[in-house]
Amino acid sequence: LATVPKIRQYYQTRPEKRIPEDHCEVILAHQTYGQDAPEGDPENDDAVRMLMARYPMDSLFLVFDLNPASNAHVRGLVNDFLNVRRGYGIGAFKYGSIKCRWDPARQDISVLAVLPRMHPLRLGVGDFKTQGKACNQLNGLRFATGHYVQALDCNMGVFIGEGFKVPYVLRVFMPFEKKNRGAPRCRYLGFREHIFTAREGTVGKCHASAEWTFGTIYQRFLSGMGTRMHYGHPDFVDGFWVRNRGGMSKSSPVVNLSEDIFAGYNVRMREEGSPHIDALEFEKGRESTFNAASNFFSKISGGSIALIHSRDN
């Protein structure tokens, strides 16, 4: 953003303001942070704190789930926050969504916001629990601000050169000539993916070819016909729209096995747009061993059957 002339000129006259806090933020949605075993893992918590400590001055936030399995340290941080804010008393709620940021002075995370909940993040029991990925997305979305939201899984990455294109690509949602910000041109915006695990052997190459066929060529074709749907890309989303329609995916077990495609159904049934562009290309890793690839294709085929059973179809 600092390369845009008008933005650079604006901040030269306002030295007290910083570009990241005003224009973008990164939320690390870690569902099991601070939980005791077997749900949580102390090594994972240490890795999260190391990442937060490495970028203390950036707009990087941690969002996690507070529940009865949370350890004493996390509960102590939340209780200290509640004592200072004079809001809910200690022990007033069992579940909550917590937003944190790294505090260099304390060398630990510092609680910024607490959102109490009546129910756990994942509902149900056993195999009928709601999906963890969709619940984690919803937990992070509660604290996401701004016009546009992008959800990235841990197997995704991006070359910094693609990041310079993002401010211009987001203009597809709202071109300069449009004055009514209540009516953007689309609700989802998809783009190309490069499967970097293609170099990891024959299985990785076959999996990458299948992903390229469906994730780029097929999406490009559907976009031309005006029938493309969100299916799991790191698509950009109209943040206001998705917050008012239940989230970026559906999480019911069994039926919503392919959870992201139901967001595409939601867009299509409301006669909104979900185009594909070729100006951006993010990286994604896929399974490169035979057993893992077989399990993935089993999930895809099972999800296709579940789509037939759903009312959305």
Side-chain angles (χ1 to χ4, degrees):
L1 283 169
T3 62
V4 180
K6 287 188 176 181
I7 289 183
R8 187 166 61 245
Q9 180 182 355
Y10 175 85
Y11 283 94
Q12 284 176 349
T13 60
R14 295 166 177 83
E16 74 283 358
K17 304 188 74 175
R18 296 181 71 241
I19 291 179
E21 280 79 1
D22 284 352
H23 293 276
C24 61
E25 64 183 7
V26 178
I27 293 178
L28 174 59
H30 196 292
Q31 192 168 324
T32 60
Y33 178 85
Q35 295 186 18
D36 295 324
E39 288 83 4
D41 188 341
E43 291 187 2
N44 291 344
D45 294 352
D46 291 341
V48 170
R49 283 193 288 270
M50 181 189 71
L51 181 65
M52 301 290 290
R54 184 169 293 183
Y55 304 100
M57 302 307 295
D58 293 330
S59 53
L60 172 63
F61 303 96
L62 170 67
V63 172
F64 62 89
D65 178 35
L66 181 74
N67 57 48
S70 299
N71 58 37
H73 175 66
V74 167
R75 289 199 166 274
L77 292 175
V78 174
N79 290 337
D80 292 343
F81 174 82
L82 295 176
N83 284 331
V84 172
R85 294 302 178 98
R86 304 295 182 184
Y88 283 85
I90 298 175
F93 54 88
K94 291 175 59 178
Y95 306 102
S97 299
I98 315 298
K99 181 180 182 181
C100 304
R101 190 172 188 174
W102 187 258
D103 186 354
R106 298 175 53 212
Q107 287 298 299
D108 197 1
I109 60 173
S110 176
V111 177
L112 299 180
V114 175
L115 181 63
R117 300 195 317 268
M118 286 290 295
H119 304 287
L121 198 60
R122 298 184 66 190
L123 303 175
V125 294
D127 294 336
F128 292 93
K129 269 193 174 183
T130 49
Q131 293 192 42
K133 175 185 174 182
C135 292
N136 203 26
Q137 284 183 348
L138 182 60
N139 202 36
L141 186 65
R142 290 189 175 107
F143 296 104
T145 59
H147 291 290
Y148 310 116
V149 179
Q150 182 187 33
L152 292 174
D153 292 339
C154 290
N155 65 330
M156 297 177 185
V158 58
F159 171 60
I160 190 172
E162 300 297 303
F164 289 112
K165 304 177 187 176
V166 170
Y168 303 95
V169 167
L170 291 179
R171 275 293 165 188
V172 175
F173 281 98
M174 187 65 62
F176 280 114
E177 65 271 11
K178 293 201 70 171
K179 302 301 182 184
N180 181 11
R181 296 199 62 85
R185 291 176 56 187
C186 58
R187 300 300 183 180
Y188 277 80
L189 181 63
F191 47 89
R192 295 149 48 105
E193 290 177 335
H194 168 67
I195 312 302
F196 62 84
T197 48
R199 60 177 180 266
E200 304 296 334
T202 303
V203 175
K205 186 179 296 185
C206 292
H207 212 158
S209 299
E211 187 73 19
W212 165 260
T213 302
F214 180 68
T216 298
I217 300 176
Y218 191 48
Q219 299 297 315
R220 185 188 298 155
F221 173 74
L222 291 178
S223 179
M225 296 197 304
T227 57
R228 179 192 175 272
M229 298 184 189
H230 169 69
Y231 89 102
H233 274 79
D235 291 359
F236 290 103
V237 189
D238 181 351
F240 176 81
W241 189 85
V242 78
R243 289 187 200 99
N244 287 276
R245 283 152 186 85
M248 290 179 281
S249 56
K250 290 193 175 182
S251 58
S252 298
V254 183
V255 174
N256 302 133
L257 188 59
S258 298
E259 70 282 348
D260 295 312
I261 188 63
F262 291 92
Y265 283 158
N266 201 10
V267 171
R268 191 71 223 135
M269 288 189 293
R270 296 174 188 272
E271 297 185 358
E272 301 283 359
S274 179
H276 171 94
I277 61 171
D278 285 320
L280 275 182
E281 184 179 69
F282 276 34
E283 293 183 331
K284 178 185 281 189
R286 278 303 185 194
E287 290 78 358
S288 56
T289 62
F290 186 83
N291 288 339
S294 178
N295 291 335
F296 175 76
F297 284 120
S298 297
K299 175 184 178 294
I300 296 299
S301 59
S304 300
I305 298 299
L307 290 178
I308 301 174
H309 295 164
S310 69
R311 295 182 64 185
D312 300 81
N313 186 52

